[in-house]
Amino acid sequence: METTVADLSIGEKGKIKEVCFNDIPLKLLEMGCMPGKEVELVQIAPLNDPMYIIVNGSHLAIRREIAELIKIETTAPKNLCEVIKS
Amino acid sequence: MRSNKILNVALVGNPNTGKSSLFNQLTGLNQKVSNYPGVTVDKKQGICKLGDSVKANILDLPGTYSINPNTIDESIVLETLINKDSKDYPDVVIVVADVVNLKRNLLLFSQIKDLEIPTILAINMEDQLERKGISIDIELLKKELNSDIFLISARKNKGIDALKKAILNPKNTNKTALADFSNRMDATFFKEVKTTFKNHSLYKVWLMITQLNDLSSLTEKEQKDIEKFREDNTKLSKLQHKETVLRYQQINNILKKTYSVDQSKATTLRAKIDRVVTHKIFGYVIFASLLLLMFQSVFAWSEAPMNWIDSIFAKLADFTRNQLPEGKLTDLLVDGIIAGISGVIIFIPQIVILFLFVAVLEETGYMSRAVFLMDKIMRRFGMSGKSIIPLVSGVACAIPAIMSARNIGNKKERLITILVTPFTTCSARLPVYAILIALVIPKKGYGMFNLQGLTLLGLYTLGFVAALTSGYILHKTLKTKAKSYFVIELPDYKIPSVKNIAMTVLEKTKAFVIGAGKIILAISIVIWFLQTNGGNKFKNAKEIVKNEVNTSLSETEINAKIASYQSEHSYLGTLGKIIEPVVAPLGYDWKMGIGLLTSFAAREVFVGTMATIYSVEDDGEENIPLQERMSKEINRNTGEKAYTLATGSSLLIFYAFAMQCMGTLAIVKRETNSWKWPIYQLVGMSVLAYVAAFITFIILK
């Protein structure tokens, strides 16, 4: 299983690895969601969907089904904030 | 000699870049809204004086993130910019960008630049530069992008004059394409395209192949060629993705040299606020409170101005009757026209407040958060989070609400939203609800709640529940499968600009009053005519009544009898009695039946119709308020009061569900491009209304 944006937890960041050409709407790409960019998960809506991400300076809301198509490698450790606090 | 040169200028830009602010700044009050031919997209145009002899016709194109359209609104941008023969084809394009999202805005700029139209880049929100720690090397950027660039602040009216000067000399504005990506995308494919279409620019043909639906402006051979290139869909979509990546690479390279952000100043305030505003619990609390505040203000703030308007019109009617000689024309003026117009004017205050709220929610950026919060829930009812906007603004009027459903990319979700929006309680139902509630619901209070207010709240809830329930049913029954493209931007929070909001409210209110006003006025006149004319029995009413009744009655009583006899035997009365068997099971008499029938043009017509019917009958008496007249009214079939708890509630329920608005039906027809859906809507909602009203009447009788 590869990690996707849908696997991020709130506050976590990742780097986009690849975007499936056929499944992703062009619009998402146009908003700056492309390989090499850092993506941060800001919030997940109640009922676990949609997801609020920041990528390439754009604040976007996308549905989980699309988030699952954006493959990433996680950059920051999962609980960075807690590490610093402790 | 003064020549009156008019330049066509188009404003293009991402949503939330302050494009409308710039438009308002350039045109002031010289703007008009019309429709693009064939579609109901608002076409905003305005005149801007550039110099002594030159004017610019400024066209505010719908906001879009790229020239590749996803929605009908966005396709207007492409169609306007690609067709050189269109009368809207711009001499100059101004691409509005904002300093914070410059990178993304430049994607659109680079696409438009490649169309080889003179293009100016206006970077807006100059006032944000310092706060966000951004610095831009404008001179270098000008060189790199090979374009005129202006830093402006549309809200603070900065840099606008320089921009106007640049529009004045469009020839000086550079119009060469930024770059040719075709070789890096797919050299063989584009070589073939180039040799097939020698007379067109390559990028334009590429857009025609991938985007344009309407190819009618091309020759038959060209159309065939385009179709040929369209065959391999997967390849095209891959190329489009590639193009976007290449464009961004170029933009990144340019911005590296010219644009920098001081990270220490880059605040994440927006994300911080959003964590609260979209929180699982607080998010809903905030959303619910805002809605509650909205409804509360609609009723609390509008009461005084409505009473004031009411009294003005009562005085005007009295004054007109006293000043003019008695006769048919005076009757038409007072009972037909003045009564009809006051029926529209009276609920301007409520509409203004509703539009105001919706405009503020949109302008501040809150609306997108509500969309985010509600998406999953709305999906269970076959809709999208974006359906919140139509459903909430449907509280003002279903027509603009249904038009705003255009932003929903998914076809099925959009269709369901369009079909169920008319269930939300629009302001046209308000005057009907207001007068009926005042008539039949007791003025009792329970603690802080009052029964009349609760009834109204209940009717609003009923509307939303009906919309969601029918959405659910449609979701389960409609078989269309559509791929969902749900991507929305959560824009930066903004303090709403008073000017923008005032313009929006003014424009929407004006459209509503004129639209509804025309129908109401026409119907009032028709009703008045049908009621003051009739066959033989109507003409000989005086003799017939005098022969029938005993002479001991006073003259006023006899006159009243004549008036009601005439009303019953007028054309309107005859028509009313034909439909009476249909409405009798719901507890209505023929007059209420007529009110119901005319309401199918527009709901608010009910009040005007009742005003006309009852005031004609009361001929000669001074103008007493409609509500008083209605409370005295006797149902001629039962001999009881016409408006009781049972009949009144039955009417309320009927109005809650019935599809009584020609304007909405016309919009649904245009938006769905078929008569099928508006007819389903009309039949389905009206049958539901009839059954529900019948049950209500039976239970309460």
Side-chain angles (χ1 to χ4, degrees):
Chain A
M1 269 301 282
E2 274 180 285
T3 321
T4 67
V5 169
D7 299 320
L8 290 172
S9 43
I10 292 178
E12 205 181 357
K13 288 178 184 173
K15 198 178 206 177
I16 300 180
K17 261 194 341 207
E18 57 182 291
V19 177
C20 321
F21 270 118
N22 289 322
D23 307 315
I24 292 275
L26 182 62
K27 189 172 175 187
L28 204 59
L29 203 65
E30 287 169 346
M31 301 284 241
C33 203
M34 58 179 70
K37 293 289 166 200
E38 191 182 66
V39 52
E40 180 189 347
L41 183 72
V42 178
Q43 178 73 290
I44 303 176
L47 306 169
N48 269 328
D49 196 10
M51 312 182 89
Y52 177 169
I53 58 170
I54 300 179
V55 60
N56 206 14
S58 297
H59 295 229
L60 306 177
I62 55 175
R63 284 185 183 165
R64 186 170 280 275
E65 60 199 37
I66 291 183
E68 279 165 0
L69 299 172
I70 310 173
K71 293 175 188 141
I72 51 159
E73 43 197 69
T74 42
T75 45
K78 225 175 184 176
N79 295 315
L80 186 64
C81 304
E82 279 150 42
V83 174
I84 293 169
K85 259 185 237 162
S86 62
Chain B
M1 264 287 291
R2 287 166 67 116
S3 67
N4 269 325
K5 204 170 139 199
I6 294 189
L7 287 170
N8 271 339
V9 177
L11 294 185
V12 187
N14 283 191
N16 310 306
T17 48
K19 193 164 61 69
S20 300
S21 296
L22 178 61
F23 178 70
N24 289 339
Q25 204 63 261
L26 286 173
T27 60
L29 281 168
N30 293 319
Q31 33 179 284
K32 65 171 198 244
V33 180
S34 57
N35 277 327
Y36 289 96
V39 286
T40 48
V41 180
D42 279 346
K43 180 179 184 180
K44 281 171 80 179
Q45 272 175 304
I47 296 291
C48 170
K49 239 183 123 186
L50 294 175
D52 283 338
S53 58
V54 188
K55 283 181 187 160
N57 183 18
I58 315 264
L59 178 62
D60 186 15
L61 287 167
T64 182
Y65 292 103
S66 103
I67 207 162
N68 307 320
N70 285 301
T71 62
I72 312 168
D73 273 9
E74 291 171 5
S75 61
I76 291 294
V77 178
L78 175 67
E79 275 157 31
T80 308
L81 298 181
I82 212 167
N83 186 3
K84 268 193 176 145
D85 303 323
S86 138
K87 69 171 173 41
D88 293 324
Y89 187 78
D91 298 301
V92 187
V93 175
I94 299 176
V95 175
V96 187
D98 80 84
V99 283
V100 183
N101 291 314
L102 189 59
K103 193 193 289 173
R104 203 186 58 214
N105 289 283
L106 283 181
L107 177 76
L108 178 65
F109 174 80
S110 85
Q111 292 170 330
I112 288 173
K113 185 90 179 145
D114 288 353
L115 283 171
E116 296 173 16
I117 308 171
T119 306
I120 299 172
L121 178 63
I123 303 178
N124 194 15
M125 306 191 201
E126 171 254 6
D127 46 313
Q128 299 260 345
L129 276 178
E130 204 176 329
R131 207 161 61 82
K132 303 264 176 182
I134 298 170
S135 49
I136 308 176
D137 185 343
I138 294 288
E139 289 311 314
L140 189 57
L141 194 61
K142 273 184 190 169
K143 224 186 264 167
E144 293 283 340
L145 292 175
N146 204 356
S147 308
D148 272 348
I149 301 176
F150 294 89
L151 260 181
I152 61 164
S153 170
R155 282 195 181 196
K156 299 197 168 149
N157 203 4
K158 266 194 195 157
I160 307 291
D161 288 334
L163 185 63
K164 278 186 189 172
K165 264 186 206 137
I167 304 171
L168 207 49
N169 300 308
K171 292 279 176 322
N172 299 346
T173 309
N174 207 301
K175 64 171 197 175
T176 39
L178 258 187
D180 181 4
F181 294 115
S182 60
N183 282 333
R184 290 163 68 192
M185 280 159 72
D186 186 333
T188 30
F189 176 82
F190 281 100
K191 202 175 166 199
E192 212 183 318
V193 176
K194 218 183 230 165
T195 36
T196 319
F197 292 91
K198 286 196 186 82
N199 302 326
H200 294 274
S201 85
L202 188 59
Y203 183 59
K204 208 176 243 178
V205 180
W206 169 237
L207 286 176
M208 284 180 189
I209 295 170
T210 50
Q211 307 295 343
L212 207 59
N213 292 321
D214 179 20
L215 295 174
S216 57
S217 62
L218 300 175
T219 65
E220 225 166 276
K221 184 183 173 300
E222 286 174 326
Q223 290 186 26
K224 271 209 186 100
D225 288 332
I226 294 269
E227 293 297 340
K228 196 184 76 198
F229 287 118
R230 278 180 177 176
E231 270 163 17
D232 189 352
N233 233 324
T234 335
K235 182 177 171 181
L236 289 183
S237 127
K238 214 169 199 163
L239 285 177
Q240 277 185 303
H241 281 74
K242 211 166 173 184
E243 181 198 342
T244 310
V245 173
L246 286 169
R247 279 186 193 278
Y248 263 125
Q249 272 175 10
Q250 187 194 24
I251 291 166
N252 277 333
N253 288 338
I254 292 174
L255 285 185
K256 240 179 231 162
K257 292 180 248 173
T258 54
Y259 183 94
S260 64
V261 186
D262 179 357
Q263 286 301 338
S264 66
K265 279 193 183 170
T267 54
T268 47
L269 188 64
R270 177 172 16 162
K272 275 184 195 149
I273 297 176
D274 278 340
R275 289 216 173 94
V276 179
V277 171
T278 61
H279 186 267
K280 285 182 171 70
I281 299 157
F282 302 130
Y284 287 116
V285 173
I286 293 170
F287 187 47
S289 318
L290 281 172
L291 288 184
L292 212 66
L293 179 70
M294 177 167 113
F295 291 127
Q296 176 64 32
S297 347
V298 165
F299 296 110
W301 298 349
S302 61
E303 203 181 330
M306 285 176 85
N307 288 340
W308 181 75
I309 293 171
D310 203 22
S311 68
I312 295 275
F313 271 96
K315 273 183 203 141
L316 181 69
D318 272 343
F319 176 80
T320 317
R321 197 178 289 289
N322 292 336
Q323 293 301 307
L324 296 173
E326 233 175 84
K328 282 209 163 181
L329 208 66
T330 309
D331 286 347
L332 170 66
L333 200 63
V334 176
D335 299 331
I337 296 174
I338 292 182
I341 292 178
S342 74
V344 193
I345 305 288
I346 188 110
F347 57 98
I348 287 183
Q350 287 181 334
I351 292 195
V352 167
I353 295 170
L354 279 170
F355 282 144
L356 193 73
F357 256 91
V358 174
V360 170
L361 290 185
E362 296 229 39
E363 180 93 355
T364 50
Y366 178 78
M367 207 60 122
S368 316
R369 276 73 188 181
V371 169
F372 174 73
L373 266 182
M374 299 301 290
D375 183 59
K376 186 71 190 263
I377 299 170
M378 295 309 288
R379 252 189 284 167
R380 303 212 163 151
F381 300 101
M383 288 175 267
S384 129
K386 292 183 189 171
S387 310
I388 282 294
I389 301 169
L391 289 178
V392 170
S393 50
V395 172
C397 175
I399 295 170
I402 285 173
M403 282 164 64
S404 70
R406 262 191 231 122
N407 293 325
I408 304 171
N410 181 305
K411 264 191 188 162
K412 186 176 167 184
E413 290 172 348
R414 175 163 176 253
L415 178 64
I416 294 180
T417 308
I418 290 175
L419 292 179
V420 306
T421 295
F423 275 120
T424 56
T425 306
C426 66
S427 48
R429 285 182 176 99
L430 260 184
V432 183
Y433 285 176
I435 199 154
L436 289 173
I437 287 177
L439 269 175
V440 303
I441 306 291
K443 229 184 183 156
K444 262 195 239 157
Y446 298 97
M448 58 181 290
F449 300 106
N450 122 352
L451 200 54
Q452 295 191 334
L454 283 178
T455 310
L456 195 61
L457 189 67
L459 286 163
Y460 269 94
T461 317
L462 188 67
F464 277 117
V465 170
L468 291 182
T469 314
S470 43
Y472 184 78
I473 296 168
L474 287 166
H475 180 44
K476 294 287 167 203
T477 48
L478 282 178
K479 287 283 171 270
T480 16
K481 270 259 170 204
K483 203 159 186 161
S484 172
Y485 288 157
F486 182 85
V487 182
I488 55 158
E489 195 191 1
L490 299 150
D492 219 348
Y493 288 103
K494 264 188 298 185
I495 295 169
S497 123
V498 176
K499 193 172 178 181
N500 287 354
I501 291 196
M503 291 284 206
T504 314
V505 171
L506 184 74
E507 175 200 301
K508 288 194 171 170
T509 311
K510 208 167 85 186
F512 180 84
V513 169
I514 292 170
K518 271 192 263 181
I519 301 176
I520 294 179
L521 192 60
I523 288 184
S524 299
I525 295 173
V526 169
I527 299 256
W528 173 85
F529 174 81
L530 289 176
Q531 201 181 8
T532 49
N533 289 280
N536 281 333
K537 275 192 176 166
F538 177 88
K539 283 175 194 141
N540 303 324
K542 242 180 211 167
E543 287 70 42
I544 298 172
V545 172
K546 274 185 182 156
N547 287 339
E548 272 179 10
V549 300
N550 62 46
T551 42
S552 65
L553 287 172
S554 74
E555 200 175 329
T556 18
E557 282 171 308
I558 292 179
N559 279 342
K561 282 229 181 276
I562 295 173
S564 95
Y565 187 87
Q566 273 192 326
S567 162
E568 235 171 81
H569 290 91
S570 63
Y571 292 130
L572 191 72
T574 318
L575 182 69
K577 268 176 257 164
I578 295 172
I579 61 162
E580 197 169 39
V582 182
V583 296
L586 310 183
Y588 316 150
D589 66 0
W590 71 267
K591 289 172 205 163
M592 293 148 99
I594 289 289
L596 220 57
L597 192 69
T598 54
S599 297
F600 275 90
R603 298 175 180 97
E604 64 274 23
V605 170
F606 178 80
V607 180
T609 306
M610 292 339 248
T612 312
I613 293 183
Y614 295 134
S615 72
V616 170
E617 276 190 8
D618 279 341
D619 204 17
E621 278 182 48
E622 58 186 302
N623 283 295
I624 51 170
L626 176 61
Q627 194 184 321
E628 219 170 287
R629 266 183 200 139
M630 287 171 80
S631 71
K632 283 190 208 150
E633 182 67 15
I634 302 290
N635 183 327
R636 73 176 183 117
N637 302 324
T638 57
E640 288 168 20
K641 280 199 167 177
Y643 297 92
T644 62
L645 181 65
T647 59
S649 306
S650 156
L651 267 178
L652 284 174
I653 295 295
F654 191 91
Y655 276 89
F657 292 141
M659 176 69 220
Q660 297 164 293
C661 180
M662 292 202 296
T664 305
L665 288 172
I667 280 291
V668 172
K669 195 251 152 190
R670 277 210 278 187
E671 294 287 306
T672 60
N673 215 356
S674 86
W675 278 110
K676 180 175 144 195
W677 297 114
I679 289 171
Y680 276 175
Q681 232 175 358
L682 177 65
V683 175
M685 289 175 72
S686 304
V687 169
L688 174 66
Y690 190 88
V691 174
F694 178 69
I695 294 171
T696 311
F697 179 65
I698 296 294
I699 293 174
L700 291 177
K701 195 168 68 172

